[in-house]
Amino acid sequence: MSARVVVVGSANLDLVVTAPQLPKPGETVLGDDFRTVPGGKGANQAVAAARAGADCDFVGAVGADEFGTLLRDNLVAAGIDVRGLRTVDEPSGVALIAVDHAAENCIVVAPGANATLTALDDADRTAVASADVLLLQLEVPLAAVGQAAGWARDGGTGVVLNAAPARPLPTELLDLVDVLVVNEHEAAVVAGVFTDEPAALLDTLVTMVPRVVLTLGARGAAYADRDGTRIEVPAPKVDAVDTTAAGDAFTGALAVALAERGGLTADTATAVLRWACAAGAACAQRPGASTALPERTAIEALSAATYGGAE
């Protein structure tokens, strides 16, 4: 039986411009091209999980507009159960994204309909209870994030929180998290420790949650837990085209690996991080957000080519 992942999160339409360099404050830069791509951290991670092999449900909100129709259709096309996707009287969320020729990006998000997801219902609770892993981010209100995490804890469903966009988090939510996934900036904000030393960030974060996965971009990822385990995995070497959804590919694939392996432990961490790093690197080789998220076969191929056979 396939692993089951439920994602509670955002769905946005990404408005993407590529340019030779990202603009500085007050600067106008002439871009190369423009495209619209279904995105949003929640929707991206749901698509990433589905493509990595999970049965996936998505809980979120879109507007009764053309963007909302595109976002819903994209999730359905990925094989995701969208019975938890509301249609509300607010415009669908959008993200304005600039990507430079070095594959770096800057993003501004207007939440729109996502901001209306302040409370969940009994059908959402049933979906969470049926999952192996609940995957959460911070582009929807904390009330819904905390409600879903509480249900997961009550029902024995593992809770993975990608703390993005970064913000300080209440202890009541952190106490419900099994695995926290953060990049270095997000880690510093959540930990309240402004340092560029990954080890120091991990040491602080494991006092707040039992397990932490720290993404390090092209350098790979690191894992820490309260038992003192520290593991670092290098990322595959690839020619990056667009890193916009690489983190979402990583996190979605990580959730699938956790669901398939029954959790994240010192024994499984290396294999899980290698799988997730391969997903993120495979995504970075293609432009776009949801359109770049890799299928399981691509993840397996890059993982095998980088790290060797299955573990």
Side-chain angles (χ1 to χ4, degrees):
M1 185 170 64
S2 296
R4 187 166 192 84
V5 175
V6 170
V7 179
V8 177
S10 59
N12 299 316
L13 195 71
D14 294 346
L15 310 178
V16 185
V17 174
T18 59
Q21 69 272 340
L22 300 178
K24 301 178 179 66
E27 180 184 18
T28 298
V29 172
L30 190 62
D32 300 321
D33 65 10
F34 169 76
R35 62 188 183 278
T36 59
V37 184
K41 281 197 168 295
N44 284 347
Q45 291 176 17
V47 173
R51 291 184 180 167
D55 290 332
C56 190
D57 293 27
F58 182 72
V59 177
V62 295
D65 50 29
E66 182 181 356
F67 287 179
T69 299
L70 290 171
L71 294 168
R72 184 182 295 273
D73 289 348
N74 182 65
L75 291 165
V76 171
I80 295 166
D81 188 326
V82 294
R83 284 176 290 181
L85 181 59
R86 289 93 163 131
T87 299
V88 300
D89 293 329
E90 293 289 334
S92 295
V94 297
L96 308 179
I97 303 175
V99 182
D100 71 14
H101 288 180
E104 293 298 326
N105 64 73
C106 62
I107 304 172
V108 178
V109 176
N114 296 298
T116 70
L117 194 71
T118 56
L120 307 182
D121 60 26
D122 288 342
D124 303 324
R125 184 168 192 161
T126 299
V128 170
S130 73
D132 300 299
V133 169
L134 171 68
L135 180 52
L136 302 163
Q137 319 79 30
L138 301 176
E139 286 186 342
V140 296
L142 278 183
V145 173
Q147 187 178 19
W151 289 342
R153 175 59 57 88
D154 291 344
T157 297
V159 178
V160 177
L161 173 64
N162 177 208
R167 69 178 80 174
L169 295 173
T171 301
E172 293 79 8
L173 175 59
L174 291 170
D175 286 345
L176 299 171
V177 173
D178 294 300
V179 181
L180 179 70
V181 182
V182 282
N183 63 23
E184 291 170 281
H185 167 70
E186 294 153 1
V189 173
V190 174
V193 177
F194 291 90
T195 173
D196 57 2
E197 291 295 329
L201 292 171
L202 291 170
D203 288 343
T204 300
L205 289 171
V206 293
T207 69
M208 305 168 77
V209 296
R211 300 166 197 86
V212 179
V213 173
L214 179 65
T215 61
L216 302 170
R219 295 172 6 242
Y223 168 77
D225 63 30
R226 286 177 175 169
D227 295 328
T229 305
R230 298 292 187 273
I231 294 170
E232 190 163 333
V233 169
K237 303 294 186 185
V238 298
D239 293 326
V241 173
D242 183 354
T243 60
T244 301
D248 295 331
F250 178 101
T251 306
L254 179 86
V256 176
L258 298 188
E260 292 180 346
R261 292 174 178 268
L264 186 59
T265 67
D267 292 335
T268 65
T270 296
V272 168
L273 262 63
R274 285 176 173 177
W275 169 262
C277 283
C283 179
Q285 291 177 290
R286 292 161 41 174
S290 62
T291 53
L293 297 167
E295 300 286 349
R296 188 180 186 101
T297 52
I299 301 171
E300 290 173 341
L302 186 54
S303 180
T306 303
Y307 309 112
E311 298 179 49

